[in-house]
Amino acid sequence: PQGPRPILFGIHLFIFGDLSRHLGLDQPIYGLRYGISEPIDRQLSMPPLAELVAHYIAEMRSLQPTGPYFLMGLSAGGTIAYEMAQQLIAQGEQVELLVLFDTAIPEEKSSKKLLPLSQVLANLWNLGLEELLLRAKSTVNSRMQSWLIRSNLAPSPDLTYYPSRDTDEPMYLLLQDYRPQTYSGRVLLFKALNLTKVSATSYIDPPDVRFRKLATEELEVVEVPGSHTGILVEPHAQLLAEKLRADIDRFLEDHPTG
């Protein structure tokens, strides 16, 4: 929490420890995580996105009343950080930097493109029997669980909040109808190169392609040789920290009294 540098606000921060160590003791970082104080035996109900964003902004302003703000988020947390930046700019505030760690804006169904049959068959062959069986089992279990929940025949284990991990089901419901607007600020996107699971039947534009359509001012993409969450831990965290620190250093050089 200490240090003279601008505060980095991490949305749904939970695995930023390695990054924090490399950024140094003079770099304050605060994490915003809904439900962090809820008992672990209670089901977590996420508020609507607009309410969550307003809540996070209010919490952030309790520490830093005015901009410029520095926001960062991983995955769905990055999507929420994107909407927070939108709302802050709409309120007349300055967002100096929006950092997204392997964040993919929720795509519309029309953005999925079915692959040719020959490519689908080749992908299925390359996946192998064991992986195909695991995916089939996961799909069946997921659909069965969703049906039981909708039929009020079973509670959702995914709705139980665990401080050590994200809650997939509430986050999916929170973002499923989100359609982002174009953004005029600076976006720094760290893109994971090691994709652990891709679709065998359809193609979806990678995150940087969608963000190039949304970020009208400046988008910088940094490719990181790690997995979706692995880019934030060793040995990749140092690369991210060096890039972030250099960007903040440039801001401080241009604003020596800020």
Side-chain angles (χ1 to χ4, degrees), residues 138-194:
S138 176
T139 299
V140 170
N141 288 342
S142 176
R143 292 182 177 177
M144 177 61 71
Q145 182 69 27
S146 297
W147 180 81
L148 290 172
I149 295 168
R150 289 195 302 269
S151 304
N152 294 320
L153 297 177
S156 170
D158 289 331
L159 292 178
T160 301
Y161 176 71
Y162 296 95
S164 62
R165 69 171 178 85
D166 266 335
T167 48
D168 296 331
E169 185 72 15
M171 195 59 58
Y172 169 75
L173 295 174
L174 180 73
L175 298 175
Q176 64 178 347
D177 295 324
Y178 177 59
R179 294 296 174 260
Q181 303 300 310
T182 56
Y183 178 69
S184 60
R186 181 162 181 262
V187 178
L188 175 59
L189 172 64
F190 289 99
K191 177 185 175 184
L193 291 180
N194 298 2

Side-chain angles (χ1 to χ4, degrees), residues 123-139 195-200:
N123 289 344
L124 294 174
W125 177 265
N126 291 331
L127 284 174
L129 181 60
E130 183 177 0
E131 175 65 16
L132 287 174
L133 290 175
L134 285 173
R135 291 192 180 196
K137 181 179 179 181
S138 176
T139 299
L195 297 178
T196 56
K197 185 174 181 180
V198 296
S199 173

Side-chain angles (χ1 to χ4, degrees), residues 1 68 112 217 235:
K112 290 187 177 183
E217 186 70 24

Side-chain angles (χ1 to χ4, degrees), residues 57-232:
I57 288 177
E59 291 293 297
M60 189 170 61
R61 281 183 158 168
S62 70
L63 288 168
Q64 181 184 332
T66 60
Y69 292 105
F70 293 74
L71 303 176
M72 61 181 181
L74 166 68
S75 191
T79 304
I80 295 172
Y82 183 91
E83 181 58 25
M84 288 175 64
Q86 293 275 42
Q87 295 301 320
L88 285 165
I89 289 177
Q91 295 168 19
E93 292 291 348
Q94 178 187 355
V95 178
E96 178 63 26
L97 183 62
L98 173 60
V99 184
L100 307 176
F101 299 108
D102 210 42
T103 293
I105 291 293
E107 72 282 351
E108 298 186 37
K109 293 180 179 180
S110 60
S111 66
K112 290 187 177 183
K113 306 176 184 67
L114 291 178
L115 296 172
L117 179 58
S118 59
Q119 184 63 56
V120 172
L121 294 175
N123 289 344
L124 294 174
W125 177 265
N126 291 331
L127 284 174
L129 181 60
E130 183 177 0
E131 175 65 16
L132 287 174
L133 290 175
L134 285 173
R135 291 192 180 196
K137 181 179 179 181
S138 176
T139 299
V140 170
N141 288 342
S142 176
R143 292 182 177 177
M144 177 61 71
Q145 182 69 27
S146 297
W147 180 81
L148 290 172
I149 295 168
R150 289 195 302 269
S151 304
N152 294 320
L153 297 177
S156 170
D158 289 331
L159 292 178
T160 301
Y161 176 71
Y162 296 95
S164 62
R165 69 171 178 85
D166 266 335
T167 48
D168 296 331
E169 185 72 15
M171 195 59 58
Y172 169 75
L173 295 174
L174 180 73
L175 298 175
Q176 64 178 347
D177 295 324
Y178 177 59
R179 294 296 174 260
Q181 303 300 310
T182 56
Y183 178 69
S184 60
R186 181 162 181 262
V187 178
L188 175 59
L189 172 64
F190 289 99
K191 177 185 175 184
L193 291 180
N194 298 2
L195 297 178
T196 56
K197 185 174 181 180
V198 296
S199 173
T201 60
S202 61
Y203 171 82
I204 301 175
D205 288 335
D208 52 312
V209 172
R210 293 198 289 277
F211 276 113
R212 290 188 198 282
K213 301 174 184 177
L214 292 170
T216 59
E217 186 70 24
E218 181 181 355
L219 170 67
E220 182 178 0
V221 179
V222 178
E223 295 184 335
V224 184
S227 65
H228 178 58
T229 57
I231 62 173
L232 280 164

